[in-house]
């Protein structure tokens, strides 16, 4: 099956730039696509110093939807937004004051890759952190909070995060350039072996200061693989039943509002979407958001925002006026607590509800209404 390769190099273009990320793209582009992917044939998507996070999200979402193996090569800079202190990949227009609006939230990687088959995704990362982000990455993780650069449990992740340069000036993405040099030999080693070869090449420069990223893919027998197999075979009820058992088991082992249990709740919401049941998917995402809010998570927490955004998207696919009204009343209340990243989400719900009440049905042209731009809608 053909592979997909996403080459992403991004860094701010103004003052304070840490790394010339795009300088690695000509070197990577000289590597045959099949070697980049580790498959017989591959499609390559290249993003050099992109301007808009939504444009990157669109390309990432398309790459994640490809059926074959996916390999992501990403070089750039990590910055924390001032409001939530969450890591973002800085883009061309990013400044310290505009991280939340002009950079790519790192959790979008995790969110877009979560539906891919276990073991089918590999990321190679060469990232530099500013002083604030570096301090946050090196701090001991809080109980129940994952490492800040979480890429999801089903992806293999290799690479490094470098501290702020000790001298003024812009540095090169040396890990990614060394990786491209190894691959230009025409042979791609196994991902873990490739990673070790690259680390050996940059050891004199890094001097043991980098945060090394090594997350192997899931082992055979991973329950996500069984769920994915059932979905691909069209056995949606079987997939949901398996996920329900795993959700219950995780609740018994870790607590009903633990991240382990809520992960399987998210999976079941996604399974309803894949089965074409927008009502059930919307209900599941709204229930999940309510559970997180009741557990004390703030309305701007990424997991809460994502749940409400996905509920909003699925609600836009419902065309039964009765269900539109029923679900919309709950959704508009949720939107009051979780407005999302951009203005207009709550008003979007109210506008559609008014239209349904006025017409007695779902007006033509609103059967597939999407949430405002910026919402993370699953496709």
């Amino acid at each position: 099956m053909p592979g997909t390769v996403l080459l992403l190099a991004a860094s701010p273009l103004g003052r304070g730039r840490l790394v010339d990320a795009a300088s690695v793209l000509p070197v990577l582009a000289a590597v045959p696509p099949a070697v980049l992917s580790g498959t017989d044939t591959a499609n390559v998507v290249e993003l050099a110093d992109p301007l808009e996070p939504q444009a990157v999200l669109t390309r990432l979402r398309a790459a994640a939807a490809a059926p074959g193996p996916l390999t992501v090569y990403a070089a750039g800079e990590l910055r924390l937004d001032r409001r939530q202190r969450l890591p973002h990949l800085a883009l061309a227009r990013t400044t310290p004051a505009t991280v939340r609006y002009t950079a790519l939230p790192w959790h979008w990687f995790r969110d877009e890759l979560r539906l891919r088959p276990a073991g089918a995704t590999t990321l190679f990362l060469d990232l530099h952190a500013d002083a604030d982000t570096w301090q946050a990455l090196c701090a001991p993780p809080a109980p129940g909070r994952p490492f800040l650069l979480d890429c999801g449990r089903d992806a293999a992740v290799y690479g490094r995060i470098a501290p702020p340069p000790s001298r003024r000036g812009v540095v090169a993405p040396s890990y990614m350039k060394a990786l491209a040099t190894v691959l230009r030999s025409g042979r791609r080693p196994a991902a873990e072996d490739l990673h070790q070869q690259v680390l050996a090449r940059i050891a004199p420069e890094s001097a043991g200061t980098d945060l090394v990223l090594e997350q192997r893919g899931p082992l055979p027998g991973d329950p996500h693989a069984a769920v994915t197999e059932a979905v691909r075979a069209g056995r949606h009820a079987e997939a949901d039943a398996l996920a329900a058992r795993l959700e219950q088991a995780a609740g018994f082992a870790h607590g009903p509002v633990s991240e382990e249990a809520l992960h399987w709740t998210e999976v079941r919401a996604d399974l309803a979407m894949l089965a074409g049941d927008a009502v059930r998917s919307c209900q599941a995402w709204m229930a999940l958001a309510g559970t997180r809010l009741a557990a004390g998570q703030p309305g701007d927490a990424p997991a809460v925002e994502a749940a409400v955004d996905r509920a909003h998207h699925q609600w836009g696919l419902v065309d039964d006026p009765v269900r539109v009204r029923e679900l919309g009343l709950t959704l508009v209340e949720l939107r009051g607590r979780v407005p999302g990243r951009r203005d207009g989400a709550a008003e979007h719900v109210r506008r559609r509800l008014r239209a349904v009440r006025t017409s007695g049905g779902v007006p033509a042209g609103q059967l597939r209404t999407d949430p405002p731009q910026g919402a993370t809608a699953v496709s």
Side-chain angles (χ1 to χ4, degrees), residues 291-307:
T291 297
R292 289 189 178 279
L293 289 169
Q297 296 186 25
D300 60 359
V304 177
E305 283 187 343

Side-chain angles (χ1 to χ4, degrees), residues 246-268:
L246 293 164
E247 178 185 32
Q248 184 180 45
F252 284 140
H254 304 283
V257 295
S258 64
E259 285 303 318
E260 291 82 359
L262 293 180
H263 165 73
W264 288 107
T265 308
E266 291 181 347
V267 169
R268 295 189 68 194

Side-chain angles (χ1 to χ4, degrees), residues 12-15 79-82 90-103 130:
L13 298 180
R15 296 176 59 185
R79 304 288 177 90
L80 296 182
D81 71 289
R82 293 178 174 178
L91 303 183
R93 293 175 177 169
T94 300
T95 67
T98 64
V99 170
R100 180 171 169 84
Y101 306 101
T102 62
D130 65 3

Side-chain angles (χ1 to χ4, degrees), residues 80-209:
L80 296 182
D81 71 289
R82 293 178 174 178
R83 181 176 177 182
Q84 294 179 286
R85 307 283 297 169
L86 293 174
H88 290 61
L89 183 68
L91 303 183
R93 293 175 177 169
T94 300
T95 67
T98 64
V99 170
R100 180 171 169 84
Y101 306 101
T102 62
L104 183 78
W106 191 264
H107 62 267
W108 283 7
F109 279 98
R110 181 195 63 226
D111 292 344
E112 295 306 319
L113 299 176
R114 75 191 188 287
L115 291 181
R116 288 188 52 78
T121 308
T122 304
L123 294 91
F124 291 101
L125 308 176
D126 186 358
L127 304 170
H128 285 68
D130 65 3
D132 194 26
T133 308
W134 181 255
Q135 184 178 7
L137 289 168
C138 294
R145 181 177 182 177
F147 177 57
L148 274 179
L149 218 66
D150 179 22
C151 298
R153 66 190 73 200
D154 288 338
V157 183
Y158 301 98
R160 63 89 181 255
I161 306 174
S166 57
R167 55 182 175 82
R168 298 182 66 87
V170 178
V171 300
S174 56
Y175 176 96
M176 199 64 72
K177 286 191 172 182
L179 184 150
T181 300
V182 173
L183 292 181
R184 287 181 70 180
S185 67
R187 185 184 67 87
R188 172 172 165 162
E192 189 172 351
D193 293 338
L194 174 59
H195 171 64
Q196 294 300 328
Q197 290 183 39
V198 173
L199 290 181
R201 284 174 176 258
I202 68 169
E205 172 194 324
S206 61
T209 59

